[in-house]
Amino acid sequence: MSHFPQSLSIGATGSATRVITDQTVRDFASLSGDTQPLHIDDDYASDTRFKRRVAHGALLVGMISAVLGVKMADDSFTVIFLGLEVSFTSPVYIGDEITAKCEVIETREDKPIVTLKIACGNADSEEVMSGRAIVYVDPHPVNAL
């Protein structure tokens, strides 16, 4: 029978908000190697369906990772991604304020595995990404849970 920290029990939530700046997108492009002009070139982006630059979808996934690893985890355990399923529903533009949210919807009895509903939304309360994450709750030190 698995025991879960309060921050990862059913119904627990975590969130974080940040503004997606030009520097954020450029840093992510450099780090990931995804230098697609849609993300970093204003002139190129102006001729696309979006009419302006958009942030990388993977940047939103990174925000979810930060909520799980920093906001919902603590020094007694580590959260390890086992699976991730996301849908991107609206573009994220430079200057958008994005809130990443996670909510625990299921825990396993036989293993320390948690399923979460995940989403990102902008300041206009428009959902820009939604999905599910499955994580392993790894105690630190090992066998502490």
Side-chain angles (χ1 to χ4, degrees), residues 40-95:
I40 59 172
D41 184 322
D42 288 314
D43 290 334
Y44 178 90
S46 70
D47 288 333
T48 69
R49 71 177 60 239
F50 302 107
K51 303 298 181 205
R52 53 190 166 139
R53 290 171 45 213
V54 298
H56 303 74
L59 185 56
L60 303 180
V61 172
M63 289 181 66
I64 294 294
S65 181
V67 170
L68 289 168
V70 177
K71 301 288 184 173
M72 296 181 81
D74 63 31
D75 292 343
S76 67
F77 65 95
T78 301
V79 176
I80 302 167
F81 274 121
L82 296 177
L84 192 62
E85 195 176 283
V86 297
S87 295
F88 300 99
T89 53
S90 291
V92 172
Y93 298 106
I94 309 304

Side-chain angles (χ1 to χ4, degrees), residues 79-84 108 111-114 133-137:
V79 176
I80 302 167
F81 274 121
L82 296 177
L84 192 62
R108 285 188 44 179
K111 294 181 181 179
I113 294 176
V114 173
I134 300 172
V135 299
Y136 186 88
V137 181

Side-chain angles (χ1 to χ4, degrees), residues 97-114:
E97 182 178 270
I98 300 297
T99 299
K101 298 178 184 178
C102 299
E103 178 185 359
V104 177
I105 58 172
E106 183 181 333
T107 58
R108 285 188 44 179
E109 289 294 319
D110 61 329
K111 294 181 181 179
I113 294 176
V114 173

